Amino acid sequence: MTEAVSFRGVSRYFGHVRAVDGVDLDIRDGEFFAMLGPSGSGKTTCLRLIAGFEQPTGGEIRIYGEQAAGVPPYRRNVNTVFQSYALFPHMNVRDNVAFGLRVKGTGKAERHKAAEEALAMVELAGFGDRRAGELSGGQRQRVALARALVNKPKVLLLDEPLGALDLKLREQMQEELRSLQRALGLTFVFVTHDQDEALSMADRVAVFADGKMQQVGTAEDIYRRPNTRFVADFVGSSNVLPADFVGAGPNGRWASLRPEDIRLDPLGHEAVVTSRAYHGRVVKLGLKLGAQHLNALMPATEDLPQPGEKVRVGWDRARVHMMESGA
């Protein structure tokens, strides 16, 4: 399969700070790829390295097989959509979308036609004469997306593009972005700190921490089979426990047990409920089993115990995942 973007031993230092530290990564042609991690993890710096806004301190970056070193942003066949939208308030929507084509010297009639086509792609046909200030947050995000798409990039880079939207609109835009990517067949590289966004939208997810890529795989791989304690904790909540405690292996190794995999079991381990929180369809219980503290998610329809009560709980051994590292 063709690689859209390849990193080989890529590092980026800012003084003594290692923002990106020896990353090896392949992003496939036509893939919706997410870079997930907390602030300062290196994910946004990787995106900026692809865009050409930063240059690597070491290593090699290729975009569709071509060396990216020294190639300025405007000569790379990529475009970026930012969280801030960065629309020009003095221009109407059509001219905002067509701005990149104007810079390239495209004639007015041709660039306006291309802008209208791009607006139709993002369901904003007929909005060309409006000003950015007349649009909702979701509409402004669509304009920013159309402005990137009008240049027909091979790779579309999205830097936390939904972060400024409210929850309902963000969920709607997630579905629209995914549908648009499938329809266009473009390579999307999506940076986010939101695990739900990454898991629900991406074909594959790379999890970053401290400038290093911790793990890459499908959403199910990342969630069900985390490599490290960081991945287990960051991608959803997990109970990271000594392997011998959950009956999954020898002492000294670590295991991940997801809260939803713990169930009430009259033949199971005795535990004391330490907390209870209602979350709509599920209730989160804090449990103390001997010296271990666990979280469990159980359907809210059950007659669940209150804090201070004793219960018995169990889990399926097949749902326990042994990790490479407890760090």
Side-chain angles (χ1 to χ4, degrees):
M1 180 176 289
T2 304
E3 307 299 347
V5 179
S6 293
F7 279 35
R8 290 294 177 268
V10 172
S11 297
R12 179 64 171 107
Y13 296 180
F14 296 97
H16 297 294
V17 177
R18 298 183 179 186
V20 176
D21 190 6
V23 170
D24 292 313
L25 174 64
D26 289 316
I27 299 172
R28 300 164 186 159
D29 178 43
E31 182 173 38
F32 197 127
F33 190 89
M35 295 181 178
L36 173 66
S39 297
S41 63
K43 62 188 187 301
T44 299
T45 302
C46 284
L47 194 83
R48 291 177 63 82
L49 287 166
I50 299 169
F53 301 143
E54 302 286 352
Q55 294 296 322
T57 306
E60 177 183 271
I61 300 173
R62 290 182 177 270
I63 300 175
Y64 284 94
E66 297 183 2
Q67 282 274 10
V71 179
Y74 63 87
R75 288 185 53 201
R76 300 186 184 202
N77 202 353
V78 305
N79 269 96
T80 306
V81 178
F82 300 99
Q83 180 179 337
S84 62
Y85 313 139
L87 302 180
F88 299 112
H90 64 286
M91 292 183 182
N92 64 23
V93 166
R94 184 185 303 105
D95 287 338
N96 262 287
V97 173
F99 183 76
L101 297 178
R102 178 182 171 185
V103 170
K104 292 178 180 179
T106 306
K108 183 176 180 179
E110 184 180 347
R111 68 175 183 260
H112 280 189
K113 180 175 182 292
E116 293 292 354
E117 290 172 353
L119 285 169
M121 252 185 249
V122 297
E123 299 182 3
L124 286 180
F127 280 67
D129 291 323
R130 298 194 190 184
R131 300 279 177 174
E134 299 172 353
L135 305 179
S136 68
Q139 289 168 338
R140 288 196 295 272
Q141 184 57 269
R142 287 188 180 91
V143 173
L145 185 59
R147 185 175 57 187
L149 291 172
V150 78
N151 292 303
K152 299 182 178 179
K154 283 190 174 182
V155 181
L156 187 66
L157 309 175
L158 302 109
D159 187 8
E160 306 246 19
L162 310 182
L165 305 179
D166 62 53
L167 178 60
K168 186 173 182 179
L169 185 54
R170 190 162 67 243
E171 291 175 345
Q172 178 186 336
M173 286 299 296
Q174 288 172 14
E175 294 178 7
E176 291 183 10
L177 272 177
R178 188 62 177 121
S179 296
L180 183 64
Q181 189 270 337
R182 285 173 175 160
L184 296 176
L186 290 179
T187 303
F188 277 28
V189 182
F190 187 94
V191 162
T192 182
H193 65 273
D194 186 317
Q195 49 148 322
D196 289 334
E197 276 189 356
L199 296 183
S200 64
M201 296 172 70
D203 297 313
R204 288 190 303 147
V205 179
V207 183
F208 285 81
D210 300 323
K212 296 180 181 292
M213 191 174 70
Q214 304 289 309
Q215 186 173 352
V216 62
T218 65
E220 185 175 0
D221 286 336
I222 297 292
Y223 188 82
R224 298 299 332 175
R225 294 173 285 278
N227 283 347
T228 67
R229 182 171 191 154
F230 174 84
V231 175
D233 285 339
F234 189 75
V235 183
S237 61
S238 185
N239 298 292
V240 178
L241 303 163
D244 59 333
F245 176 80
V246 288
N251 193 16
R253 296 195 67 190
W254 293 89
S256 169
L257 176 63
R258 294 293 182 183
E260 63 270 23
D261 292 328
I262 298 174
R263 63 182 186 276
L264 297 176
D265 182 353
L267 302 178
H269 305 268
E270 185 175 89
V272 177
V273 178
T274 58
S275 63
R276 172 176 168 151
Y278 180 74
H279 291 276
R281 289 178 298 173
V282 296
V283 171
K284 182 179 180 180
L285 296 180
L287 303 170
K288 190 171 187 297
L289 281 73
Q292 298 292 334
H293 292 268
L294 286 79
N295 289 314
L297 289 176
M298 298 185 180
T301 54
E302 294 186 17
D303 183 16
L304 296 175
Q306 298 293 329
E309 293 185 34
K310 291 184 179 180
V311 293
R312 288 190 173 273
V313 296
W315 49 82
D316 185 344
R317 285 272 300 275
R319 306 300 280 181
V320 178
H321 173 69
M322 296 296 300
M323 295 189 295
E324 294 175 8
S325 169

